[in-house]
Amino acid sequence: MKPAPWPRSDADAERLLVIRPGDGSLADRRVGELPELLGAGDLLVLNDAATLPASLFARTRAGASVELRLAGQDGDAFVAVVLGDGDFRARTEDRPVPPALAPGDALLVSESAPALSATVTGIVDDGLVRLRFDRDGAELWRALYAHGHPVQYSYVESPLSLWHVQSRFAGVPWAAEMPSAGRPLTWRTLFGLLRRGVGIARVSHAAGLSSTGRADLDRRFPLDERYSVPAETVRAIARTRGRVVAVGTTVVRALESAAESGTLRAGSGVATLRLDASSTPRVVHAVMSGMHEPGTSHFELLSAFAPAKLLARASEHAAARGYLAHEFGDSCLVY
């Protein structure tokens, strides 16, 4: 499938491939038709995490330019991928190799107000480090939003601004990259679902980076990611007599991680769970997601809800009919 080169103006008209594991059928629909596909008693669960300006350009003490992509938080420190110099027009795999960093190395993001620098506090893996910034609290957030940018993609037409990578219901600023499954859901569609008798609930999940262009590093993804499941969402799920439909693999990961003990519990935690064909979801019955091809971690998670052969056939069907992939691409509903 080709990647969508830009956010499309009519999200309701974006394509939605309905995959039904029960009978193995595939149907071409539109995102705006979602209220016709779900029924009274179903519950749609959204990820309300807002997308951070997680891309920061910095210089080492020796003057080398690098890009830092924040991949998550580890206490009061950040985990970040270090990329070689380059802009959004260059694929990450085509960037020069970044300089080797060691604990104690300083990275200057900007000297202009509000100035921002960071210190490497640990090495997670080659190209993956822990950072501590020189400020915290509100001062840190002001500096991140002043000097950071959303993660960019080589296949988009122009540089992306933060408003291009937010869902309409974004709230808590946790996500390194956009939780893109919720992006095409308009207020028109959401209110249509409510009128249909479909419930809507939320979780917050710190969606991490999807890839770096390095196969050895990408095999580590998804990294451990923090989540929060509100008590009202747990109550809504307990009341649900239909299906719990997760909007995005991040919602699946949050809910299933919160239920690892056998009972879904409200509260915050860190999602370490990786679902695949061997997994039996405890909470989620169905999932709406972007289009994912075999071999990706997202495809592996979807295989917990449908046979891999059916998902592969769906991927071939979508490619043959011109579905678009990646952050601004079309969607599927495994239901």
Side-chain angles (χ1 to χ4, degrees):
M1 282 174 279
K2 294 181 179 179
W6 195 248
R8 287 167 285 185
S9 58
D10 187 359
D12 284 333
E14 291 184 26
R15 303 180 77 173
L16 177 68
L17 178 58
V18 180
I19 306 168
R20 295 195 180 275
D23 60 9
S25 66
L26 305 173
D28 298 307
R29 303 294 293 264
R30 300 286 175 179
V31 172
E33 296 171 345
L34 192 61
E36 301 172 22
L37 298 169
L38 304 186
D42 287 340
L43 179 71
L44 194 75
V45 186
L46 310 171
N47 182 0
D48 70 358
T51 309
L52 290 166
S55 168
L56 298 161
F57 288 90
R59 286 192 174 276
T60 67
R61 231 185 235 120
S65 297
V66 297
E67 180 186 357
L68 305 174
R69 290 192 177 179
L70 305 181
Q73 280 189 264
D74 184 9
D76 57 355
F78 284 81
V79 176
V81 170
V82 183
L83 299 175
D85 193 23
D87 61 20
F88 82 98
R89 296 175 182 83
R91 299 187 308 162
T92 51
E93 53 264 47
D94 297 332
R95 298 270 194 98
V97 176
L101 298 176
D105 283 351
L107 296 165
L108 176 64
V109 176
S110 179
E111 291 182 302
S112 62
L116 183 64
S117 62
T119 301
V120 177
T121 60
I123 306 299
V124 180
D125 200 345
D126 180 27
L128 190 63
V129 302
R130 284 190 178 86
L131 299 172
R132 194 179 302 277
F133 288 100
D134 64 344
R135 59 196 64 238
D136 55 20
E139 288 188 6
L140 173 59
W141 291 108
R142 276 195 290 270
L144 288 177
Y145 277 85
H147 304 303
H149 310 272
V151 170
Q152 306 290 317
Y153 309 106
S154 61
Y155 49 80
V156 296
E157 296 173 348
S158 302
L160 295 166
S161 297
L162 268 178
W163 58 79
H164 291 128
V165 291
Q166 308 293 353
S167 65
R168 290 161 180 81
F169 41 82
V172 58
W174 276 14
E177 287 191 65
M178 173 176 54
S180 54
R183 176 198 54 78
L185 294 178
T186 65
W187 295 118
R188 178 180 178 179
T189 296
L190 292 171
F191 282 118
L193 288 162
L194 290 173
R195 286 192 295 269
R196 177 82 168 173
V198 177
I200 296 178
R202 66 180 179 87
V203 299
S204 301
H205 184 102
L209 299 177
S210 57
S211 69
T212 64
R214 281 184 45 186
D216 58 333
L217 197 51
D218 289 351
R219 278 194 290 270
R220 294 182 61 104
F221 292 168
L223 301 176
D224 298 349
E225 296 162 345
R226 59 179 172 160
Y227 67 84
S228 176
V229 178
E232 59 265 28
T233 296
V234 174
R235 291 193 291 268
I237 290 171
R239 293 193 304 267
T240 297
R241 296 296 173 260
R243 299 187 183 190
V244 175
V245 183
V247 178
T249 57
T250 56
V251 173
V252 176
R253 202 166 181 231
L255 291 175
E256 296 301 326
S257 294
E260 271 196 281
S261 65
T263 302
L264 179 64
R265 300 184 185 277
S268 300
V270 176
T272 59
L273 193 64
R274 295 184 67 146
L275 285 85
D276 56 25
S278 66
S279 307
T280 302
R282 299 174 184 270
V283 180
V284 179
H285 305 104
V287 59
M288 177 180 170
S289 184
M291 302 304 302
H292 304 297
E293 296 176 330
T296 64
S297 61
H298 294 84
F299 183 93
E300 291 301 312
L301 186 147
L302 291 182
S303 68
F305 296 90
K309 285 185 178 180
L310 175 59
L311 293 174
R313 181 159 61 87
S315 182
E316 293 171 1
H317 172 98
R321 284 161 176 76
Y323 278 67
L324 299 178
H326 293 311
E327 284 71 20
F328 307 115
D330 295 306
S331 304
C332 68
L333 175 65
V334 184
Y335 185 66

